[in-house]
Amino acid sequence: MTGRTPARFTADDYRARMERAVRAAGDAGLAGLLVAPGADLVWLTGYAPPAVTERLTLLVLTPDRDPVLVVPALEAPDAAAAVGAPALTLRDWTDGKDPYAATSALLDTGGRYGVSDEAWALHLLRLQKVLPDSSYASLTEALPMLRAVKDAAELELMAAAGAAADATYEEIRAVSFAGRRESEVGADLAGLLRRFGHSQVDFTIVASGPNGANPHHEVGDRVIEHGDMVVLDFGGLKDGYGSDTSRTVHVGEPTDEERRVHDLVREAQEAGFRAVRPGVACQEVDRAARAVIADAGYGEYFIHRTGHGIGVTTHEPPYMIEGEEQPLVPGMCFSVEPGVYLPGRFGVRIEDIVTVTEDGGRRLNDTTREMVIVD
């Protein structure tokens, strides 16, 4: 995660997020939260340290005191300039001092705390050495839905990121594919994402021909040939919020089987989207998409979950997968991306980001899901 979130968020917005996080921690039986540099810290405070170093930076959220950000003295001016800083107390420390002793004074000696996934083991182990009776839980396990429900401003940013990814797809359709390496088309995708406002490109999958049967192939040196199916999956961060979309194009005219499989995946993607509505368990989205593919005899070739959450990171809870009983809530954003992968031959994936509305779902990607022929 790089940079700060847009100035449209105010100190009051960050204060409300931190208060909500403290309440959620209490409901989960935690004494508080310890948040290291990363996506959670940016979302809660608007602050991203200028560099990730071995020096301890830690946001301490507990119900008995205002939020405290423990920060190295040399980075305190940057922390004080963050939009959310007025909602915080900054406690800086200088080299040669013990930041763990200072941090431990903010915690209960025997408390159990949720810790952000980005926290270094080095810091956690040293803190635990000072507080040997304390214990810790991963935020992903303890509070998986902390960032899942987006407010109106966040949804606006998600929609803008989706529109930028859509513009990227519309442009990439016009480039030459045949005779070029996957890596060259991937570079085109990355350049287009940045042209349309992305500050960070997280992935550009260009999987041609048999490489399309590997869902995470990304890009390689294979030269794309006439007659190839090509899976395109790309996204990143625009103004601090994520995009992620997949379309599968064909170089020249496809075979009847290729059209049939593409149409099948499109129908499955539509079924998954139609399953989205408040109160429905996440797994029902997966079941709806998977049933279409399984009924057509291709079930064994759909080898991944139907979707993942997205927000200030491009992959986060909730997950559209069998066994996930978390109900959908208005404001959640996640992908719906079924696929069929035929080993040694080709693959097809179609993906939109969808947000839950009061009465259903809304796509944040609007490009055609029909088969597109490229040169």
Side-chain angles (χ1 to χ4, degrees):
M1 183 78 188
T2 59
R4 294 177 182 153
T5 48
R8 71 179 68 196
F9 298 125
T10 67
D12 286 341
D13 293 324
Y14 291 115
R15 181 179 289 107
R17 290 178 184 178
M18 288 187 281
E19 291 173 351
R20 174 152 58 97
V22 170
R23 290 194 300 271
D27 292 343
L30 299 172
L33 303 179
L34 307 178
V35 184
D40 290 314
L41 184 64
V42 173
W43 184 77
L44 286 163
T45 70
Y47 174 57
V52 177
T53 74
E54 74 283 358
R55 293 183 174 92
L56 178 71
T57 296
L58 200 67
L59 174 66
V60 179
L61 298 177
T62 59
D64 57 346
R65 68 174 73 241
D66 290 337
V68 176
L69 182 63
V70 178
V71 62
L74 75 168
E75 294 175 2
D78 290 312
V83 176
L88 296 164
T89 297
L90 293 180
R91 183 165 298 185
D92 62 6
W93 61 277
T94 57
D95 286 351
K97 301 294 184 180
D98 184 356
Y100 306 100
T103 303
S104 67
L106 305 172
L107 307 177
D108 293 336
T109 56
R112 181 168 178 78
Y113 293 90
V115 182
S116 59
D117 295 353
E118 296 93 340
W120 286 20
L122 168 71
H123 297 318
L124 194 58
L125 291 170
R126 288 187 178 177
L127 189 59
Q128 195 166 34
K129 186 176 181 180
V130 179
L131 297 172
D133 294 328
S134 62
S135 60
Y136 306 92
S138 160
L139 275 190
T140 292
E141 293 182 356
L143 297 177
M145 295 298 112
L146 181 62
R147 305 193 315 255
V149 178
K150 277 65 177 177
D151 62 24
E154 290 181 294
L155 289 174
E156 181 181 341
L157 291 169
M158 290 293 302
D166 282 358
T168 295
Y169 179 64
E170 295 294 355
E171 291 281 336
I172 204 69
R173 290 171 52 179
V175 309
S176 295
F177 280 70
R180 302 179 69 210
R181 297 185 186 276
E182 293 173 342
S183 56
E184 293 176 297
V185 177
D188 289 342
L189 282 170
L192 288 166
L193 285 169
R194 291 191 176 95
R195 192 217 297 178
F196 290 115
H198 281 63
S199 60
Q200 179 173 315
V201 177
D202 286 350
F203 46 88
T204 55
I205 292 175
V206 180
S208 63
N211 289 340
N214 176 359
H216 282 172
H217 170 70
E218 296 195 3
V219 297
D221 290 330
R222 183 180 184 276
V223 175
I224 301 169
E225 301 175 356
H226 189 83
D228 279 347
M229 193 85 86
V230 185
V231 178
L232 304 173
D233 186 343
F234 49 92
L237 298 180
K238 180 182 186 296
D239 293 330
Y241 281 76
S243 69
D244 185 2
T245 189
S246 300
R247 294 292 186 264
T248 303
V249 301
H250 198 277
V251 185
E253 285 299 318
T255 66
D256 290 345
E257 181 189 22
E258 288 169 332
R259 281 195 180 278
R260 184 169 64 252
V261 173
H262 190 280
D263 286 345
L264 175 64
V265 173
R266 179 171 53 79
E267 291 168 10
Q269 207 269 348
E270 178 68 17
F273 169 69
R274 293 297 177 191
V276 174
R277 59 185 182 278
V280 168
C282 290
Q283 66 181 359
E284 295 301 330
V285 178
D286 182 84
R287 287 174 177 177
R290 198 169 299 276
V292 173
I293 292 173
D295 289 349
Y298 287 87
E300 66 182 294
Y301 303 113
F302 181 10
I303 56 178
H304 56 72
R305 65 197 175 201
T306 293
H308 58 82
I310 186 171
V312 293
T313 59
T314 48
H315 287 75
E316 61 187 41
Y319 298 102
M320 307 302 112
I321 189 171
E322 181 66 30
E324 178 54 79
E325 297 181 349
Q326 166 68 42
L328 298 181
V329 177
M332 283 182 174
C333 296
F334 49 85
S335 66
V336 178
E337 51 176 308
V340 168
Y341 308 93
L342 302 179
R345 301 181 62 205
F346 65 88
V348 177
R349 182 165 63 256
I350 300 173
E351 173 186 15
D352 295 324
I353 299 304
V354 173
T355 185
V356 184
T357 64
E358 294 297 330
D359 57 1
R362 175 169 66 94
R363 299 183 196 266
L364 300 185
N365 296 107
D366 294 321
T367 57
T368 181
R369 285 164 283 278
E370 301 287 341
M371 170 89 68
V372 168
I373 308 300
V374 298
D375 294 330

